[in-house]
Amino acid sequence: MASTRARIAIDAMGGDHAPAEIVAGAIRAQEELDVEVLLVGDPQQIEASLKQHNSSHHIEIVPAEGTIEMEEEPLSALRRKPKASINVAMQLVKKKQADAVVSAGHSGAAMAAALLRLGRLPGIDRPAIGAVLPTIVPSKSVLILDVGANVDCRPKFLEQFAFMGSIYSQYVLGVDTPKVGLLNIGEEPSKGNDAALRTYQKLEENPNITFLGNAEGRDVLSGQFDVIVCDGFVGNILLKFAEAVGGVMVQILKEELPKGLHGKVGTALLKPNLERIKQRFDHAEHGGALLLGVEGICIITHGSSQAPSIFNAIRIAKEAVDNEVLERIQSQTRIAAAQATDGD
Amino acid sequence: MASTRARIAIDAMGGDHAPAEIVAGAIRAQEELDVEVLLVGDPQQIEASLKQHNSSHHIEIVPAEGTIEMEEEPLSALRRKPKASINVAMQLVKKKQADAVVSAGHSGAAMAAALLRLGRLPGIDRPAIGAVLPTIVPSKSVLILDVGANVDCRPKFLEQFAFMGSIYSQYVLGVDTPKVGLLNIGEEPSKGNDAALRTYQKLEENPNITFLGNAEGRDVLSGQFDVIVCDGFVGNILLKFAEAVGGVMVQILKEELPKGLHGKVGTALLKPNLERIKQRFDHAEHGGALLLGVEGICIITHGSSQAPSIFNAIRIAKEAVDNEVLERIQSQTRIAAAQATDGD
């Protein structure tokens, strides 16, 4: 990890628009960011995509064979296809030939490959997927985890999510003292199901996080919280809803704004402003989700990702590497373990 | 229930803007809808509010003493204050002097009062709160339940929600064959936590509902589903998030649209269209949540409800009464019970 430039292994074969859009995003990252990109996949297809661009930058290709398809069961497919692009990308991190992995492929397979090839961080029971959403406060975002790795969570898993999320928020998102919330159905400590009640207590007692209390659905985008923890079932539903809502809003604007003559003229005048609004809603601008708790940096982006999403995912990976997120979680987990009480 | 005009008991003392806004909404309902409104609460305060309006319509006042405060524990407060407005309103339905209750007060107290005073419908284990959201398809809405009554749900509760929701969707929302979805983290039947897997199977086997399969977060507002079932923990978080998102969007529009000279002119031209967009987002236009599964029609609206929300809640109550939702659930529950298999 001592390389001066972050080395990012990209699963060039994963996602609906692979490899063309993946390669396009990687080229832009290589040109605009101070990173070294490694494209993992079928050399012929990757080279054909590279030729579509007029880039003077050299990008290394790491050969792989095949990919995990969306309908495949992750674990067995990963074992059956050891040379699949996501397996090879993870191995690069394992062998310290790369610092991070970015994939738009089968997200379950990416997570399983990270667990199989890299393993969990010591002291972390379950890795979590974190997603960053914009809030109503300009330039303030919120990290939500877990958004899909664990459908059932014990209180101590959520406590670990809070802890990892706080480190990520502090060192990558630049929040001085990240405020943590527990996603719940009321503000009062007495609200929620049994798991929520017990998690509340654990978070309140943990000296390594700044726990603000329960976050209701309406608080998620309020900017009050920097990190919100929840189980992967609720988190996944919330994230997918939030992403879809952006599209719904843009659709409603498109339908309603141009109505009438004034509407048509007004909408024409507002074109650049509307474009900016669309960007604030658009998840492509916000990049991928982060797998926290494994022995490597892994960014998982949407299957539908095109070049801008891939570029952003690479930027996020670079920031996590440059800010030594892994090392900080590791060292602080060790400190926390020494202080920890058992149970749950 | 054989009265020709629906008689709606309104908890005039419940909510942040009681009684003034509650009374204002009730007056408008009495004037514009074919309903008989009963205002339950402190006669002096209600009369003072009535005097603010120039209505020729007579509205009956049913005296009550006190109200359940937000910080009170519902069950003990309801027992300590038998004459509280929400208790008296529920008693009116119990004694068949009203067909429905509308309250903007403590929602937990309204639910508990309904259970205490009216009781559950035969064959229903747990009442559920249903909320109607607009979808991306114009004039098509989706009913989500439960949005907060039950934080932990067994599969058979969700099956009952699907059944009650289908009847409401058909007879009040006017959907011929309501399509039911199970809120989950993936489309495939194999996705989700243990409760989701078992619920999927029950819904698939139930001959009285049209089960379309799992609904992901992104599908909630797509218009594909007419009824979406989930436990009250997920549902509450999703609903509160959805309601807040409308405000976030309006805020972003207000910030971004008027930027620059073209922005100012364009925004001025678009004023009426923007107002219409705001209305599509605004929950006040969509009225209250419905408590399904008790021996009466109960509409629970936001504590922040003002006159338009109260009016809408009364309209929803009237439609549920006029369309005999209770009687249909009761008779179809009896039929279903005869066909039912046990378990879960």
Side-chain angles (χ1 to χ4, degrees):
Chain A
M1 306 263 179
S3 156
T4 46
R5 286 206 304 171
R7 298 157 307 172
I8 320 287
I10 322 282
D11 174 5
M13 311 313 286
D16 307 341
H17 305 290
E21 290 289 326
I22 316 293
V23 169
I27 290 173
R28 192 182 142 203
Q30 179 86 297
E31 286 173 353
E32 296 181 24
L33 306 171
D34 188 28
V35 291
E36 184 182 335
V37 167
L38 304 154
L39 286 169
V40 182
D42 178 65
Q44 276 193 314
Q45 287 188 56
I46 294 175
E47 266 162 24
S49 289
L50 279 171
K51 277 190 192 135
Q52 305 295 313
H53 300 267
N54 229 340
S55 180
S56 57
H57 288 257
H58 171 73
I59 299 192
E60 194 176 330
I61 298 173
V62 180
E65 287 171 25
T67 184
I68 312 298
E69 304 295 338
M70 284 314 287
E71 61 281 3
E72 289 186 285
E73 195 281 311
L75 271 181
S76 60
L78 288 168
R79 293 203 166 108
R80 213 172 47 245
K81 301 176 176 177
K83 292 182 183 169
S85 52
I86 188 68
N87 267 329
V88 173
M90 292 294 172
Q91 285 293 359
L92 289 174
V93 173
K94 181 77 182 171
K95 292 187 283 181
K96 301 207 181 302
Q97 291 166 10
D99 302 306
V101 170
V102 168
S103 175
H106 189 315
S107 62
M111 203 167 62
L115 271 168
L116 273 180
R117 308 293 161 208
L118 308 177
R120 284 176 292 137
L121 284 174
I124 300 298
D125 288 282
R126 296 285 172 86
I129 300 176
V132 177
L133 288 182
T135 73
I136 196 163
V137 180
S139 78
K140 196 167 189 334
S141 52
V142 58
L143 173 67
I144 304 173
L145 72 171
D146 176 31
V147 296
N150 312 278
V151 290
D152 289 303
C153 283
R154 289 162 62 186
K156 77 166 174 180
F157 302 165
L158 291 167
E159 189 184 10
Q160 292 165 4
F161 300 167
F163 171 71
M164 294 191 291
S166 294
I167 291 176
Y168 186 83
S169 177
Q170 184 172 359
Y171 294 104
V172 179
L173 304 176
V175 177
D176 267 349
T177 310
K179 296 184 196 71
V180 175
L182 170 65
L183 194 61
N184 205 337
I185 60 170
E187 282 178 23
E188 307 82 358
S190 62
K191 284 294 176 89
N193 53 20
D194 182 57
L197 294 180
R198 287 188 296 140
T199 306
Y200 190 98
Q201 204 181 342
K202 278 185 120 34
L203 294 177
E204 202 170 38
E205 288 166 2
N206 190 318
N208 302 303
I209 56 171
T210 304
F211 181 51
L212 220 64
N214 287 330
E216 293 189 75
R218 69 168 66 96
D219 305 321
V220 173
L221 305 182
S222 71
Q224 283 172 269
F225 296 93
D226 303 295
V227 177
I228 291 181
V229 294
C230 55
D231 72 49
F233 189 83
V234 181
N236 182 276
I237 287 168
L238 189 70
L239 178 69
K240 286 181 181 162
F241 182 83
E243 288 173 350
V245 151
V248 171
M249 297 298 160
V250 170
Q251 170 84 11
I252 290 178
L253 287 181
K254 273 186 186 161
E255 279 172 28
E256 298 286 352
L257 276 188
K259 282 186 180 167
L261 181 58
H262 281 190
K264 278 180 196 61
V265 178
T267 306
L269 285 169
L270 288 177
K271 213 174 166 206
N273 293 9
L274 287 168
E275 193 47 46
R276 217 167 40 239
I277 291 168
K278 190 166 174 300
Q279 279 172 20
R280 270 180 82 168
F281 292 165
D282 195 348
H283 75 79
E285 301 296 317
H286 297 293
L290 182 89
L291 184 60
L292 278 170
V294 292
E295 292 260 21
I297 300 289
C298 303
I299 309 291
I300 299 170
T301 72
H302 277 270
S304 60
S305 291
Q306 301 197 17
S309 298
I310 299 298
F311 172 80
N312 269 294
I314 296 172
R315 185 180 49 73
I316 293 167
K318 170 195 153 54
E319 286 168 8
V321 173
D322 290 353
N323 290 289
E324 299 177 333
V325 165
L326 268 196
E327 294 77 0
R328 290 182 200 276
I329 293 176
Q330 280 172 316
S331 69
Q332 296 200 27
T333 308
R334 252 178 261 125
I335 298 168
Q339 306 166 334
T341 52
D342 264 349
D344 280 312
Chain B
M1 305 266 176
S3 156
T4 46
R5 287 204 305 171
R7 298 157 306 171
I8 321 287
I10 322 282
D11 173 5
M13 311 313 285
D16 307 341
H17 305 289
E21 290 289 326
I22 315 294
V23 169
I27 290 174
R28 194 183 141 202
Q30 180 87 295
E31 287 174 355
E32 297 182 23
L33 306 171
D34 188 29
V35 291
E36 183 182 336
V37 166
L38 305 154
L39 286 168
V40 183
D42 177 66
Q44 278 193 311
Q45 287 188 55
I46 294 174
E47 266 162 24
S49 289
L50 280 170
K51 276 188 194 138
Q52 305 296 313
H53 300 267
N54 231 341
S55 180
S56 57
H57 289 255
H58 171 72
I59 298 191
E60 194 177 329
I61 298 173
V62 181
E65 287 172 22
T67 183
I68 312 297
E69 305 295 338
M70 285 314 288
E71 61 281 3
E72 289 186 287
E73 195 281 311
L75 270 182
S76 60
L78 288 168
R79 292 201 166 109
R80 215 171 46 245
K81 301 176 175 177
K83 292 181 183 171
S85 52
I86 188 70
N87 267 328
V88 173
M90 292 294 172
Q91 285 293 359
L92 289 174
V93 173
K94 181 76 183 171
K95 292 186 284 180
K96 304 212 181 295
Q97 292 167 9
D99 302 305
V101 170
V102 168
S103 175
H106 189 316
S107 61
M111 203 168 61
L115 271 167
L116 273 179
R117 308 294 163 208
L118 308 177
R120 285 177 291 139
L121 284 173
I124 300 298
D125 287 282
R126 297 285 172 87
I129 299 177
V132 177
L133 288 181
T135 73
I136 197 161
V137 181
S139 79
K140 194 166 188 339
S141 51
V142 58
L143 173 67
I144 303 172
L145 72 171
D146 176 31
V147 295
N150 311 281
V151 290
D152 289 302
C153 283
R154 288 162 63 187
K156 76 166 174 181
F157 302 166
L158 291 168
E159 188 184 12
Q160 292 166 4
F161 300 168
F163 171 71
M164 294 191 292
S166 295
I167 291 176
Y168 186 82
S169 176
Q170 184 173 358
Y171 294 103
V172 179
L173 303 175
V175 177
D176 267 348
T177 311
K179 296 184 195 70
V180 175
L182 171 64
L183 194 60
N184 204 339
I185 59 169
E187 282 177 23
E188 308 82 358
S190 63
K191 284 294 177 92
N193 53 20
D194 182 57
L197 295 180
R198 288 188 297 141
T199 306
Y200 190 99
Q201 203 181 345
K202 278 185 119 39
L203 293 177
E204 202 171 36
E205 288 166 3
N206 189 318
N208 301 302
I209 56 170
T210 304
F211 181 50
L212 221 64
N214 287 329
E216 294 189 75
R218 69 169 65 96
D219 305 321
V220 172
L221 305 182
S222 70
Q224 282 171 270
F225 296 93
D226 302 296
V227 177
I228 291 181
V229 294
C230 54
D231 71 49
F233 190 83
V234 181
N236 183 276
I237 288 168
L238 189 70
L239 177 70
K240 286 182 180 161
F241 182 82
E243 288 172 351
V245 151
V248 171
M249 298 298 162
V250 170
Q251 171 85 14
I252 291 178
L253 287 180
K254 273 187 186 162
E255 279 171 29
E256 298 286 352
L257 275 187
K259 283 187 180 168
L261 181 60
H262 280 190
K264 278 179 195 64
V265 179
T267 306
L269 286 168
L270 289 176
K271 213 173 165 207
N273 293 9
L274 286 168
E275 193 48 45
R276 218 171 37 242
I277 291 169
K278 190 166 176 300
Q279 279 172 21
R280 269 181 82 169
F281 292 166
D282 196 348
H283 75 79
E285 302 297 316
H286 298 293
L290 183 90
L291 184 60
L292 277 171
V294 292
E295 292 260 21
I297 300 288
C298 303
I299 309 290
I300 299 170
T301 72
H302 276 270
S304 61
S305 291
Q306 300 195 18
S309 299
I310 299 297
F311 173 81
N312 269 295
I314 296 171
R315 186 181 46 74
I316 293 168
K318 170 196 153 52
E319 286 169 8
V321 173
D322 289 354
N323 291 289
E324 300 177 330
V325 165
L326 269 196
E327 293 78 0
R328 290 183 201 277
I329 292 177
Q330 281 172 315
S331 70
Q332 296 201 25
T333 307
R334 251 177 263 125
I335 298 168
Q339 307 166 333
T341 52
D342 265 349
D344 281 314

